[in-house]
mmCIF file of all heavy atoms in Angstrom:
data_model
loop_
_atom_site.group_PDB
_atom_site.id
_atom_site.type_symbol
_atom_site.label_atom_id
_atom_site.label_comp_id
_atom_site.label_asym_id
_atom_site.label_seq_id
_atom_site.Cartn_x
_atom_site.Cartn_y
_atom_site.Cartn_z
ATOM 1 N N PHE A 1 117.219 270.411 152.621
ATOM 2 C CA PHE A 1 117.931 270.688 153.871
ATOM 3 C C PHE A 1 117.679 272.115 154.339
ATOM 4 O O PHE A 1 117.567 272.369 155.552
ATOM 5 C CB PHE A 1 119.429 270.450 153.692
ATOM 6 C CG PHE A 1 119.798 269.008 153.500
ATOM 7 C CD1 PHE A 1 121.022 268.650 152.966
ATOM 8 C CD2 PHE A 1 118.907 268.005 153.848
ATOM 9 C CE1 PHE A 1 121.356 267.320 152.792
ATOM 10 C CE2 PHE A 1 119.227 266.668 153.680
ATOM 11 C CZ PHE A 1 120.459 266.325 153.151
ATOM 12 N N ALA A 2 117.593 273.052 153.406
ATOM 13 C CA ALA A 2 117.291 274.443 153.775
ATOM 14 C C ALA A 2 115.919 274.548 154.422
ATOM 15 O O ALA A 2 115.745 275.265 155.421
ATOM 16 C CB ALA A 2 117.370 275.337 152.537
ATOM 17 N N ALA A 3 114.937 273.831 153.894
ATOM 18 C CA ALA A 3 113.599 273.838 154.491
ATOM 19 C C ALA A 3 113.608 273.204 155.876
ATOM 20 O O ALA A 3 112.932 273.671 156.800
ATOM 21 C CB ALA A 3 112.618 273.117 153.578
ATOM 22 N N LEU A 4 114.383 272.131 156.053
ATOM 23 C CA LEU A 4 114.469 271.491 157.373
ATOM 24 C C LEU A 4 115.154 272.402 158.388
ATOM 25 O O LEU A 4 114.753 272.443 159.562
ATOM 26 C CB LEU A 4 115.214 270.165 157.256
ATOM 27 C CG LEU A 4 114.490 269.064 156.464
ATOM 28 C CD1 LEU A 4 115.367 267.826 156.345
ATOM 29 C CD2 LEU A 4 113.165 268.711 157.119
ATOM 30 N N PHE A 5 116.173 273.126 157.980
ATOM 31 C CA PHE A 5 116.804 274.087 158.894
ATOM 32 C C PHE A 5 115.837 275.220 159.235
ATOM 33 O O PHE A 5 115.878 275.763 160.346
ATOM 34 C CB PHE A 5 118.079 274.652 158.269
ATOM 35 C CG PHE A 5 119.283 273.780 158.460
ATOM 36 C CD1 PHE A 5 119.889 273.163 157.381
ATOM 37 C CD2 PHE A 5 119.812 273.560 159.725
ATOM 38 C CE1 PHE A 5 120.998 272.351 157.552
ATOM 39 C CE2 PHE A 5 120.923 272.760 159.912
ATOM 40 C CZ PHE A 5 121.516 272.149 158.820
ATOM 41 N N LEU A 6 114.958 275.585 158.297
ATOM 42 C CA LEU A 6 113.944 276.592 158.597
ATOM 43 C C LEU A 6 112.954 276.071 159.644
ATOM 44 O O LEU A 6 112.490 276.834 160.499
ATOM 45 C CB LEU A 6 113.209 276.988 157.320
ATOM 46 C CG LEU A 6 112.225 278.147 157.423
ATOM 47 C CD1 LEU A 6 112.915 279.401 157.946
ATOM 48 C CD2 LEU A 6 111.592 278.436 156.073
ATOM 49 N N VAL A 7 112.632 274.787 159.587
ATOM 50 C CA VAL A 7 111.795 274.182 160.633
ATOM 51 C C VAL A 7 112.481 274.286 161.991
ATOM 52 O O VAL A 7 111.854 274.625 163.010
ATOM 53 C CB VAL A 7 111.489 272.716 160.277
ATOM 54 C CG1 VAL A 7 110.801 272.016 161.441
ATOM 55 C CG2 VAL A 7 110.611 272.642 159.038
ATOM 56 N N LEU A 8 113.787 273.998 162.030
ATOM 57 C CA LEU A 8 114.540 274.132 163.283
ATOM 58 C C LEU A 8 114.526 275.568 163.782
ATOM 59 O O LEU A 8 114.390 275.818 164.996
ATOM 60 C CB LEU A 8 115.976 273.652 163.062
ATOM 61 C CG LEU A 8 116.927 273.760 164.260
ATOM 62 C CD1 LEU A 8 116.424 272.924 165.432
ATOM 63 C CD2 LEU A 8 118.337 273.348 163.863
ATOM 64 N N ALA A 9 114.633 276.532 162.878
ATOM 65 C CA ALA A 9 114.585 277.944 163.276
ATOM 66 C C ALA A 9 113.227 278.303 163.865
ATOM 67 O O ALA A 9 113.139 279.040 164.860
ATOM 68 C CB ALA A 9 114.898 278.824 162.065
ATOM 69 N N PHE A 10 112.145 277.767 163.295
ATOM 70 C CA PHE A 10 110.813 278.032 163.842
ATOM 71 C C PHE A 10 110.675 277.461 165.253
ATOM 72 O O PHE A 10 110.065 278.082 166.132
ATOM 73 C CB PHE A 10 109.749 277.433 162.923
ATOM 74 C CG PHE A 10 109.520 278.234 161.677
ATOM 75 C CD1 PHE A 10 109.129 277.618 160.497
ATOM 76 C CD2 PHE A 10 109.691 279.610 161.670
ATOM 77 C CE1 PHE A 10 108.919 278.350 159.342
ATOM 78 C CE2 PHE A 10 109.491 280.364 160.522
ATOM 79 C CZ PHE A 10 109.098 279.726 159.358
ATOM 80 N N PHE A 11 111.215 276.278 165.482
ATOM 81 C CA PHE A 11 111.133 275.683 166.823
ATOM 82 C C PHE A 11 111.895 276.525 167.846
ATOM 83 O O PHE A 11 111.427 276.710 168.979
ATOM 84 C CB PHE A 11 111.683 274.260 166.799
ATOM 85 C CG PHE A 11 110.664 273.220 166.427
ATOM 86 C CD1 PHE A 11 110.760 272.516 165.239
ATOM 87 C CD2 PHE A 11 109.594 272.939 167.268
ATOM 88 C CE1 PHE A 11 109.819 271.566 164.887
ATOM 89 C CE2 PHE A 11 108.647 271.989 166.932
ATOM 90 C CZ PHE A 11 108.767 271.291 165.734
ATOM 91 N N GLN A 12 113.059 277.025 167.482
ATOM 92 C CA GLN A 12 113.823 277.859 168.417
ATOM 93 C C GLN A 12 113.103 279.178 168.685
ATOM 94 O O GLN A 12 113.103 279.671 169.826
ATOM 95 C CB GLN A 12 115.232 278.121 167.853
ATOM 96 C CG GLN A 12 116.008 276.876 167.517
ATOM 97 C CD GLN A 12 116.041 275.864 168.640
ATOM 98 O OE1 GLN A 12 116.299 276.213 169.798
ATOM 99 N NE2 GLN A 12 115.759 274.610 168.322
ATOM 100 N N ALA A 13 112.480 279.756 167.662
ATOM 101 C CA ALA A 13 111.711 280.979 167.880
ATOM 102 C C ALA A 13 110.514 280.720 168.795
ATOM 103 O O ALA A 13 110.172 281.550 169.651
ATOM 104 C CB ALA A 13 111.245 281.540 166.533
ATOM 105 N N ALA A 14 109.874 279.551 168.637
ATOM 106 C CA ALA A 14 108.763 279.199 169.525
ATOM 107 C C ALA A 14 109.242 279.049 170.967
ATOM 108 O O ALA A 14 108.541 279.447 171.911
ATOM 109 C CB ALA A 14 108.096 277.907 169.043
ATOM 110 N N ALA A 15 110.429 278.471 171.150
ATOM 111 C CA ALA A 15 110.968 278.338 172.506
ATOM 112 C C ALA A 15 111.229 279.711 173.136
ATOM 113 O O ALA A 15 110.980 279.915 174.334
ATOM 114 C CB ALA A 15 112.252 277.510 172.469
ATOM 115 N N ILE A 16 111.711 280.656 172.343
ATOM 116 C CA ILE A 16 111.935 282.009 172.866
ATOM 117 C C ILE A 16 110.608 282.677 173.216
ATOM 118 O O ILE A 16 110.488 283.399 174.228
ATOM 119 C CB ILE A 16 112.725 282.844 171.836
ATOM 120 C CG1 ILE A 16 114.123 282.258 171.654
ATOM 121 C CG2 ILE A 16 112.817 284.305 172.265
ATOM 122 C CD1 ILE A 16 114.955 282.968 170.604
ATOM 123 N N TRP A 17 109.563 282.426 172.419
ATOM 124 C CA TRP A 17 108.233 282.951 172.748
ATOM 125 C C TRP A 17 107.746 282.394 174.083
ATOM 126 O O TRP A 17 107.111 283.112 174.873
ATOM 127 C CB TRP A 17 107.234 282.594 171.649
ATOM 128 C CG TRP A 17 107.273 283.494 170.451
ATOM 129 C CD1 TRP A 17 107.597 283.143 169.175
ATOM 130 C CD2 TRP A 17 106.979 284.890 170.409
ATOM 131 N NE1 TRP A 17 107.529 284.233 168.350
ATOM 132 C CE2 TRP A 17 107.140 285.317 169.074
ATOM 133 C CE3 TRP A 17 106.585 285.816 171.370
ATOM 134 C CZ2 TRP A 17 106.930 286.630 168.688
ATOM 135 C CZ3 TRP A 17 106.379 287.132 170.979
ATOM 136 C CH2 TRP A 17 106.551 287.528 169.658
ATOM 137 N N ILE A 18 108.020 281.129 174.332
ATOM 138 C CA ILE A 18 107.601 280.529 175.608
ATOM 139 C C ILE A 18 108.341 281.187 176.772
ATOM 140 O O ILE A 18 107.766 281.431 177.844
ATOM 141 C CB ILE A 18 107.832 279.010 175.575
ATOM 142 C CG1 ILE A 18 106.876 278.351 174.577
ATOM 143 C CG2 ILE A 18 107.633 278.396 176.962
ATOM 144 C CD1 ILE A 18 107.079 276.861 174.431
ATOM 145 N N LEU A 19 109.631 281.479 176.579
ATOM 146 C CA LEU A 19 110.371 282.173 177.629
ATOM 147 C C LEU A 19 109.797 283.563 177.903
ATOM 148 O O LEU A 19 109.877 284.063 179.031
ATOM 149 C CB LEU A 19 111.842 282.298 177.228
ATOM 150 C CG LEU A 19 112.663 281.002 177.219
ATOM 151 C CD1 LEU A 19 114.088 281.282 176.767
ATOM 152 C CD2 LEU A 19 112.660 280.345 178.593
ATOM 153 N N LEU A 20 109.209 284.181 176.886
ATOM 154 C CA LEU A 20 108.603 285.503 177.055
ATOM 155 C C LEU A 20 107.150 285.424 177.527
ATOM 156 O O LEU A 20 106.442 286.435 177.520
ATOM 157 C CB LEU A 20 108.664 286.268 175.726
ATOM 158 C CG LEU A 20 110.067 286.612 175.221
ATOM 159 C CD1 LEU A 20 110.001 287.273 173.853
ATOM 160 C CD2 LEU A 20 110.792 287.506 176.215
ATOM 161 N N LYS A 21 106.701 284.207 177.895
ATOM 162 C CA LYS A 21 105.356 283.957 178.414
ATOM 163 C C LYS A 21 104.273 284.263 177.373
ATOM 164 O O LYS A 21 103.183 284.731 177.698
ATOM 165 C CB LYS A 21 105.098 284.780 179.681
ATOM 166 C CG LYS A 21 105.996 284.393 180.833
ATOM 167 C CD LYS A 21 105.676 285.197 182.089
ATOM 168 C CE LYS A 21 106.575 284.787 183.249
ATOM 169 N NZ LYS A 21 106.267 285.559 184.476
ATOM 170 N N ALA A 22 104.605 284.007 176.118
ATOM 171 C CA ALA A 22 103.632 284.137 175.035
ATOM 172 C C ALA A 22 103.379 282.739 174.488
ATOM 173 O O ALA A 22 103.823 282.381 173.397
ATOM 174 C CB ALA A 22 104.150 285.068 173.953
ATOM 175 N N GLU A 23 102.655 281.938 175.280
ATOM 176 C CA GLU A 23 102.457 280.534 174.924
ATOM 177 C C GLU A 23 101.621 280.369 173.662
ATOM 178 O O GLU A 23 101.879 279.477 172.840
ATOM 179 C CB GLU A 23 101.795 279.782 176.084
ATOM 180 C CG GLU A 23 102.601 279.751 177.371
ATOM 181 C CD GLU A 23 102.380 280.999 178.210
ATOM 182 O OE1 GLU A 23 101.557 281.848 177.789
ATOM 183 O OE2 GLU A 23 103.043 281.129 179.267
ATOM 184 N N PHE A 24 100.629 281.232 173.494
ATOM 185 C CA PHE A 24 99.763 281.109 172.315
ATOM 186 C C PHE A 24 100.544 281.348 171.027
ATOM 187 O O PHE A 24 100.373 280.617 170.044
ATOM 188 C CB PHE A 24 98.602 282.100 172.420
ATOM 189 C CG PHE A 24 97.711 282.099 171.208
ATOM 190 C CD1 PHE A 24 96.781 281.092 171.018
ATOM 191 C CD2 PHE A 24 97.813 283.101 170.254
ATOM 192 C CE1 PHE A 24 95.968 281.079 169.891
ATOM 193 C CE2 PHE A 24 97.006 283.100 169.137
ATOM 194 C CZ PHE A 24 96.078 282.086 168.957
ATOM 195 N N LEU A 25 101.397 282.365 171.017
ATOM 196 C CA LEU A 25 102.196 282.633 169.824
ATOM 197 C C LEU A 25 103.152 281.480 169.536
ATOM 198 O O LEU A 25 103.391 281.145 168.367
ATOM 199 C CB LEU A 25 102.974 283.942 169.999
ATOM 200 C CG LEU A 25 102.138 285.222 170.069
ATOM 201 C CD1 LEU A 25 103.035 286.427 170.286
ATOM 202 C CD2 LEU A 25 101.319 285.391 168.800
ATOM 203 N N ALA A 26 103.702 280.879 170.581
ATOM 204 C CA ALA A 26 104.615 279.748 170.381
ATOM 205 C C ALA A 26 103.889 278.549 169.782
ATOM 206 O O ALA A 26 104.366 277.930 168.822
ATOM 207 C CB ALA A 26 105.269 279.369 171.713
ATOM 208 N N ILE A 27 102.713 278.220 170.321
ATOM 209 C CA ILE A 27 101.945 277.081 169.799
ATOM 210 C C ILE A 27 101.457 277.375 168.385
ATOM 211 O O ILE A 27 101.482 276.506 167.501
ATOM 212 C CB ILE A 27 100.767 276.764 170.733
ATOM 213 C CG1 ILE A 27 101.294 276.332 172.109
ATOM 214 C CG2 ILE A 27 99.901 275.665 170.154
ATOM 215 C CD1 ILE A 27 102.164 275.103 172.084
ATOM 216 N N ALA A 28 101.020 278.619 168.138
ATOM 217 C CA ALA A 28 100.571 278.973 166.787
ATOM 218 C C ALA A 28 101.717 278.902 165.783
ATOM 219 O O ALA A 28 101.526 278.475 164.635
ATOM 220 C CB ALA A 28 99.971 280.380 166.794
ATOM 221 N N LEU A 29 102.911 279.294 166.202
ATOM 222 C CA LEU A 29 104.073 279.215 165.311
ATOM 223 C C LEU A 29 104.384 277.774 164.938
ATOM 224 O O LEU A 29 104.671 277.468 163.775
ATOM 225 C CB LEU A 29 105.279 279.870 165.985
ATOM 226 C CG LEU A 29 106.574 279.939 165.172
ATOM 227 C CD1 LEU A 29 106.372 280.782 163.933
ATOM 228 C CD2 LEU A 29 107.709 280.472 166.013
ATOM 229 N N VAL A 30 104.295 276.879 165.909
ATOM 230 C CA VAL A 30 104.592 275.471 165.639
ATOM 231 C C VAL A 30 103.498 274.832 164.791
ATOM 232 O O VAL A 30 103.771 274.129 163.809
ATOM 233 C CB VAL A 30 104.788 274.703 166.964
ATOM 234 C CG1 VAL A 30 104.917 273.209 166.714
ATOM 235 C CG2 VAL A 30 106.013 275.221 167.692
#
């Protein structure tokens, strides 16, 4: 469950990268 919550944290960080117009970093993170 801790690993799955870490996956959720990565997705939210990728969404914030997209808001900052850093699409490449968001896709690379995912």
Side-chain angles (χ1 to χ4, degrees):
F1 291 162
L4 292 176
F5 276 113
L6 187 57
V7 172
L8 178 61
F10 284 149
F11 273 113
Q12 304 309 313
I16 295 177
W17 279 117
I18 292 177
L19 290 178
L20 295 176
K21 296 182 179 180
E23 298 85 3
F24 176 77
L25 293 178
I27 297 300
L29 183 63
V30 173

